[in-house]
Amino acid sequence: MTAMVGLADIVQARSRIADRVRRTPLVPSPSLAIRCGTPVFLKLESHQTTGSFKLRGATNALLSLSDEARLRGLVTASTGNHGRALAYAAREAGVRAVVCMSSLVPDNKVEAVRALGAEVRIVGHSQDDAQEEVDRLVSEQGLTAIPPFDHEAVIAGQGTAGLEIVEDSPQAELILVPLSGGGLAAGVAAAVKGRIPHARVVGVSMERGAAMQASLLAGKPVLVEELETLADSLGGGIGLDNRHTFAMCRDLLDDVVLLSESEIAEGIRHAFMVEGEIVEGAGAVGIAALLAGKVAPKGPVVVLVSGRNIDEVRHRTIVHASITNAHTSPEARV
Ligand SMILES: *Cc1c(COP(=O)(O)O)cnc(C)c1O
């Protein structure tokens, strides 16, 4: 039996985390509005503390624990935006956080997690080895594992971004949400549908390794091969034992669209050159979906821009490649 996270849980999460996360800006995009023929707004979670919305879920999960559990500490195997968010939330709360990583994780990622005050454990040579260490710390030291998406308090926390969207843009008819494990999409869809039932919520993933889309088509969680992609924060599976996000995405999302790597690059480029925003691949997929014409909005659109944590050299390469091609595709900056 799966439990759905509802509007009431999200409203409660909001009051719990309000003074620990930013209320991020919702800004109009005149250039996308001209292209789409309807107002377009960007919800800039790329401006969230730690560089992504993940701080919302991590903070809500931490604050939902009993004092006793919180004092024993938290653990995760995520080295990406969730690990970063959990490390930060734990430090702010004065709580121990352990991030387990395999020896294959690059030094700069290890240092980034350490810099946020988390304890790093290097174990084995794979993500599975790191996850085994998480399980061991849970059973031997009583730490609490906070997973990146399939967890009720995490989903409710991510949903607070959806509440802000409907408050700042109550006329929205279409919300575009980056989709990987589905914690963000499930939470945002629950908030949006709770407040504006006729609004459409569409998930956006990359063609290369879209685990939720493959699972929705199969009618149950399935494994997909993980491939390298510009939207690296969208990589990874949804878990064959998925308890919440699969059912919520199945029931609440109106559609899922997939993007090629060059379409994602175009989204990153547009975010920087036209909107003046540094956005990582996963964060740019909503913009990319509009640019590629993969969704055809008829009314006001909100694009959730989920994060900004992209390697600087990679970002420069993508933007530069488009500058050298610029004479073939002139575009006014609106
Ligand atoms: C984690 C993440 C996503 C996907 O969130 P899910 O809840 O796993 O679907 C999208 N964008 C960024 C920047 C992320 O860090």
Side-chain angles (χ1 to χ4, degrees):
M1 184 63 201
T2 55
M4 299 272 277
V5 174
L7 185 58
D9 303 304
I10 298 167
V11 169
Q12 198 177 32
R14 200 245 294 268
S15 58
R16 207 180 274 129
I17 69 176
D19 55 3
R20 294 177 190 242
V21 305
R22 289 193 68 189
R23 193 185 206 290
T24 53
L26 186 84
V27 301
S29 166
S31 101
L32 289 173
I34 288 169
R35 267 176 192 265
C36 298
T38 187
V40 178
F41 300 89
L42 306 177
K43 173 65 169 170
L44 295 176
E45 280 299 300
S46 49
H47 290 216
Q48 186 56 262
T49 309
T50 71
S52 83
F53 69 89
K54 290 279 197 328
L55 188 63
R56 295 174 183 270
T59 302
N60 190 46
L62 182 156
L63 296 177
S64 301
L65 294 173
S66 67
D67 289 347
E68 189 206 353
R70 208 164 27 232
L71 283 175
R72 286 195 302 263
L74 310 176
V75 60
T76 183
S78 162
T79 60
N81 286 334
H82 174 68
R84 193 189 276 243
L86 195 69
Y88 181 90
R91 189 183 59 177
E92 290 297 293
V95 163
R96 179 180 179 209
V98 181
V99 180
C100 302
M101 310 181 181
S102 87
S103 58
L104 300 181
V105 172
D107 286 347
N108 61 340
K109 278 201 167 179
V110 177
E111 282 320 309
V113 171
R114 279 211 181 102
L116 284 167
E119 220 173 294
V120 173
R121 293 263 174 130
I122 310 278
V123 274
H125 303 286
S126 70
Q127 189 63 17
D128 286 346
D129 292 341
Q131 187 56 47
E132 270 182 33
E133 180 69 2
V134 170
D135 298 341
R136 200 183 65 76
L137 289 170
V138 169
S139 67
E140 290 181 11
Q141 298 191 14
L143 301 193
T144 300
I146 307 288
F149 55 87
D150 199 25
H151 181 286
E152 285 170 281
V154 171
I155 298 167
Q158 320 306 29
T160 61
L163 271 191
E164 293 174 13
I165 287 172
V166 295
E167 285 171 1
D168 292 349
S169 181
Q171 74 284 12
E173 292 183 13
L174 172 65
I175 324 291
L176 298 178
V177 187
L179 174 64
S180 175
L184 178 64
V188 166
V192 168
K193 305 257 169 179
R195 288 276 166 88
I196 317 177
H198 68 271
R200 287 167 53 78
V201 180
V202 172
V204 189
S205 301
M206 64 293 175
E207 287 167 359
R208 292 172 64 82
M212 182 61 83
Q213 171 71 334
S215 300
L216 292 171
L217 292 173
K220 61 173 199 286
V222 294
L223 291 174
V224 297
E225 190 190 351
E226 195 169 340
L227 301 164
E228 222 179 283
T229 167
L230 282 177
D232 53 315
S233 292
L234 300 185
I238 70 164
L240 290 178
D241 54 352
N242 188 291
R243 294 195 305 142
H244 308 288
T245 60
F246 171 74
M248 288 185 71
C249 287
R250 181 192 62 204
D251 295 351
L252 297 174
L253 292 184
D254 293 281
D255 200 0
V256 175
V257 298
L258 304 184
L259 298 171
S260 70
E261 294 300 299
S262 64
E263 287 166 344
I264 296 168
E266 196 56 23
I268 296 172
R269 184 204 69 83
H270 176 97
F272 187 71
M273 301 292 287
V274 183
E275 312 291 347
E277 297 290 335
I278 294 180
V279 173
E280 61 176 286
V285 294
I287 293 173
L290 290 177
L291 293 173
K294 292 256 166 107
V295 283
K298 294 182 188 63
V301 188
V302 175
V303 178
L304 198 155
V305 177
S306 55
R308 66 153 184 253
N309 296 324
I310 183 169
D311 175 75
E312 195 192 352
V313 173
R314 176 181 256 194
H315 187 262
R316 216 179 308 144
T317 306
I318 292 165
V319 170
H320 188 260
S322 73
I323 293 171
T324 51
N325 293 330
H327 60 281
T328 60
S329 57
E331 182 185 3
R333 185 167 176 151
V334 184

